Amino acid sequence: MPQRYALIIAPADAADPREDFADTFTPIDVTAPALSVGELSTQRGDGVFESIGVVDGHANEVEAHVQRLAHSAELCDLPAPNLAQWRQAVAVAAAHAPAGEAVVKLILSRGVEHGPTPTAWATAAAATDFSTVRRDGVRVVTLDRGYDLGAGERAPWLLLGAKTLSYAVNMATLREARRRGADDALYVTRDGYVLEAPTASLILHRGGEFVTPAPSGGILHGTTQLSVYEYLESRGLTTGYATLTIEDVMTADAAWLVSSIRLAVAITAVDGTPLASDPALTAELNRFLLSPR
């Protein structure tokens, strides 16, 4: 099977009641030009996206991802996506994904400048091999997000809770982390609270409870964090949301960054200080996250 697949989606109205949207999907040659030079996703990063983990053709957390796509679209004043159409697009793309671990990406752009409709497409490709980092964990540095904890609610136009195509800041954050000798970063607010990583959610284990920063204050609500919580709760363990500081991270029994493709990776050091970890639980979480759900 080819290592990459793509299809253009003609966005349907959110209220379109049909059951089959196959005629709105156009498979395209991934090596050929596909977007107009006036496309606002490339000119301005003006759009939203989702990355969905696929294992042997099964896409995980589909409903959570399409719901978050709709939430991001609403925050960005994009037309509401037809969720049934996007679910079907995920299924089509996942069916063309290569064996093993893969990723389906969904993109909804504002479209061509001055154009009549949004542009949308889905891709499927092999995922990066994250087996080593899942086993060995990551070292993180704390970096100033530049906002206080209330910025997201006070200034919604900053789009801090949307998963937008404007990822230049996220990538710059990762480059800065590597310049400082780390693998990843944790964003910290100007008033001292921990938020999330550039591409992952934070989960701590402390005192018998698993906690993550509350998805207010401009934190993207992680689909994988929700899956991990469902699994932990099925084992009778306590989960919750809290306002967390770096001290909470440093004194935790264990801490993880979780995301749809990399899955669960332990944080082994923060700003050069070693952090306690739980390799057995990390492996258990990843076995669950690699299973169909």
Side-chain angles (χ1 to χ4, degrees):
M1 182 174 288
Q3 290 298 295
R4 188 173 292 274
Y5 172 84
L7 57 84
I8 295 293
I9 303 167
D13 186 272
D16 190 329
R18 76 177 108 167
E19 296 182 358
D20 186 2
F21 292 87
D23 64 348
T24 67
F25 304 147
T26 304
I28 59 174
D29 180 353
V30 297
T31 66
L35 297 177
S36 165
V37 293
E39 170 60 41
L40 293 174
S41 62
T42 54
Q43 286 193 21
R44 299 176 183 168
D46 194 356
V48 297
F49 80 103
E50 287 290 326
S51 297
I52 302 174
V54 179
V55 181
D56 291 329
H58 179 87
N60 283 325
E61 303 165 348
V62 173
E63 190 59 26
H65 280 287
V66 296
Q67 292 288 347
R68 192 170 67 180
L69 183 79
H71 177 65
S72 295
E74 180 181 11
L75 292 177
C76 293
D77 295 320
L78 289 165
N82 184 301
L83 297 190
Q85 181 186 37
W86 286 90
R87 293 184 194 104
Q88 187 175 347
V90 172
V92 172
H96 288 85
E101 293 186 53
V103 54
V104 165
K105 289 190 176 181
L106 307 177
I107 299 95
L108 176 61
S109 155
R110 202 168 302 278
V112 176
E113 190 165 19
H114 309 306
T117 62
T119 305
W121 66 99
T123 65
T128 300
D129 181 1
F130 286 117
S131 56
T132 299
V133 74
R134 290 172 191 161
R135 182 194 67 218
D136 297 340
V138 292
R139 301 157 299 164
V140 305
V141 291
T142 56
L143 295 178
D144 187 349
R145 182 69 176 268
Y147 306 111
D148 61 65
L149 188 63
E153 296 178 353
R154 189 176 62 252
W157 50 88
L158 295 175
L159 303 179
L160 298 179
K163 193 171 180 69
T164 73
L165 293 169
S166 304
Y167 246 47
V169 170
N170 305 63
M171 298 301 100
T173 301
L174 291 174
R175 291 193 297 272
E176 179 62 24
R178 289 165 188 147
R179 278 192 288 268
R180 299 186 186 202
D183 309 298
D184 212 321
L186 280 176
Y187 285 128
V188 180
T189 67
R190 298 306 304 269
D191 42 352
Y193 298 104
V194 178
L195 297 173
E196 58 191 346
T199 63
S201 303
L202 171 69
I203 296 177
L204 305 183
H205 184 203
R206 57 174 193 174
E209 180 185 23
F210 294 84
V211 294
T212 189
S216 58
I219 294 176
L220 186 71
H221 206 168
T223 58
T224 307
Q225 175 260 308
L226 291 170
S227 282
V228 169
Y229 268 26
E230 289 176 7
Y231 174 72
L232 295 171
E233 289 161 7
S234 74
R235 289 186 48 199
L237 299 170
T238 302
T239 65
Y241 296 85
T243 301
L244 301 172
T245 65
I246 284 297
E247 181 64 20
D248 293 319
V249 179
M250 300 301 297
T251 58
D253 300 317
W256 297 267
L257 297 181
V258 300
S259 54
S260 297
I261 313 304
R262 193 171 60 176
L263 305 184
V265 298
I267 298 175
T268 60
V270 178
D271 293 331
T273 300
L275 198 68
S277 61
D278 188 337
L281 182 53
T282 301
E284 181 181 342
L285 291 177
N286 282 317
R287 283 193 296 271
F288 163 71
L289 292 172
L290 286 167
S291 67
R293 61 192 189 282

